[in-house]
Amino acid sequence: MDQDVSNHAFEGLERLCMEPGTDGILTAPAFPGIERIEAQFSGNAFEPHRHDTYALGVTIKGVQTFSYRGKRRFSMPGQVIVLHPDEEHDGGAGTDDGLQYRMLYLEPALLFECLDAEKIGLPFVDEPVIGDPILAETLLAALGELDRELDELFVDDFVSRVAGGLAKHARTPQRPLGSVAWERTRLARDYLEAHATEAVQSGELEVVTGLDRFSLARHFRAAFATSPHRYLLMRRLQQARVMIGAGEGLSDVAAATGFADQSHLTRHFKKAYGMTPGQWAGLRRVFPQGRSGAR
């Protein structure tokens, strides 16, 4: 297979954002529940880590390699990558030619809300590398112009199409969820987001939701594909990334985001993102202001 995505197959990617030969992570304007990036690396980029979102992307140039669910995987240009929440993985370039890819991180809650009317659970795709031009085209509709913002109507249709694309590749039928306490788990989620830098106790969530802690844990995982504890941790790390990106010192960031100290922050940051805060800050790129606009 060609080492580059063809212009004919993926129109709109002919103007790649990263400068050739420059390692980095370019971040796009965010939309609630969706992050988008373009990354370019040579060698190993990420150490083993896991996050609480779906990671969905397309390899653009080179060979993308990563360990996932006990096997070494390889993605060629044009192939789709599907990584599920809380699944450990690493990542890097599979050849000396380097790697370029685009990825979006989708909160499970968006998919869950899309599927809730049908009362079925989140689809699990056990093969993380897929050759599916239709699903690739769907993802590239959001990843093709990273300097532009997503709007709500686009996202509604996009999430619906992604849900259908993932369901097609789920080898086991999606099981009916039964009655998920969606409103109560949403109360827990909102409370965790509002108190992300505090030491939230199980009893607080019991009072907020009216569910005992064990029932809440089951319903929360069904709705958001992670535990309340990890959801809280990831919200802290998201806040920390914003502050680090703004140039604030790690000790100040740790204190402001609920971590015991700088080493505590660094340890959890590396587990979640596969690199230290300093490495991430060195690789991070942003679009110049004034270039983004609504789709």
Side-chain angles (χ1 to χ4, degrees):
M1 185 179 292
D2 192 352
Q3 289 285 306
D4 295 350
V5 173
S6 71
N7 289 336
H8 175 73
F10 298 107
E11 294 179 3
L13 290 182
E14 63 275 2
R15 181 179 56 82
L16 296 177
C17 299
M18 299 288 291
E19 292 294 328
T22 302
D23 285 3
I25 302 172
L26 187 67
T27 58
F31 182 92
I34 298 176
E35 288 186 60
R36 298 173 295 153
I37 68 164
E38 178 181 304
Q40 184 168 281
F41 294 106
S42 56
N44 293 325
F46 300 100
E47 295 187 21
H49 65 285
R50 58 192 179 100
H51 28 70
D52 65 344
T53 61
Y54 281 87
L56 309 171
V58 180
T59 303
I60 305 300
K61 289 185 175 183
V63 179
Q64 191 166 357
T65 182
F66 55 96
S67 294
Y68 183 80
R69 295 178 64 81
K71 295 181 181 179
R72 197 70 190 166
R73 318 286 182 158
F74 299 90
S75 175
M76 303 296 287
Q79 291 186 307
V80 172
I81 292 178
V82 179
L83 306 180
H84 287 264
D86 272 350
E87 291 284 350
E88 187 176 76
H89 58 281
D90 57 12
T95 70
D96 293 338
D97 294 331
L99 165 70
Q100 191 167 21
Y101 66 93
R102 294 190 179 184
M103 187 78 70
L104 65 86
Y105 299 92
L106 178 67
E107 289 188 9
L110 291 181
L111 274 183
F112 187 90
E113 290 187 75
C114 177
L115 298 167
D116 186 46
E118 300 177 42
K119 300 299 180 186
I120 54 177
L122 297 169
F124 188 88
V125 180
D126 58 1
E127 287 296 330
V129 180
I130 301 170
D132 184 340
I134 295 176
L135 182 55
E137 182 180 0
T138 296
L139 294 174
L140 290 171
L143 293 170
E145 295 180 282
L146 291 183
D147 58 342
R148 301 186 66 83
E149 297 176 358
L150 304 177
D151 67 41
E152 191 171 279
L153 290 179
F154 170 84
V155 170
D156 291 343
D157 178 64
F158 172 76
V159 173
S160 177
R161 293 169 63 195
V162 167
L166 294 180
K168 182 177 71 172
H169 290 282
R171 292 195 175 184
T172 56
Q174 291 172 272
R175 295 173 295 178
L177 280 177
S179 178
V180 174
W182 175 243
E183 292 299 331
R184 297 189 186 191
T185 55
R186 189 149 41 189
L187 288 173
R189 179 194 65 183
D190 292 347
Y191 187 86
L192 292 171
E193 289 183 349
H195 299 82
T197 60
E198 303 171 19
V200 177
Q201 303 297 318
S202 298
E204 296 176 60
L205 295 182
E206 288 180 326
V207 171
V208 168
T209 65
L211 293 172
D212 70 82
R213 62 194 65 191
F214 303 109
S215 296
L216 174 60
R218 291 194 299 272
H219 286 283
F220 197 96
R221 186 169 288 279
F224 303 117
T226 194
S227 67
H229 173 267
R230 183 153 177 77
Y231 190 88
L232 179 67
L233 174 63
M234 293 303 297
R235 302 294 75 73
R236 290 177 179 177
L237 289 171
Q238 282 185 334
Q239 291 187 29
R241 280 201 312 177
V242 172
M243 296 176 69
I244 293 168
E248 299 193 34
L250 291 184
S251 59
D252 292 335
V253 172
T257 53
F259 292 95
D261 52 31
Q262 180 175 329
S263 64
H264 188 217
L265 165 63
T266 297
R267 185 168 65 253
H268 282 290
F269 194 101
K270 191 172 181 179
K271 286 181 179 178
Y273 302 117
M275 59 180 62
T276 67
Q279 289 172 320
W280 179 83
L283 289 168
R284 180 175 177 267
R285 309 283 188 270
V286 295
F287 284 100
Q289 290 190 359
R291 288 182 59 191
S292 63
R295 291 182 66 95

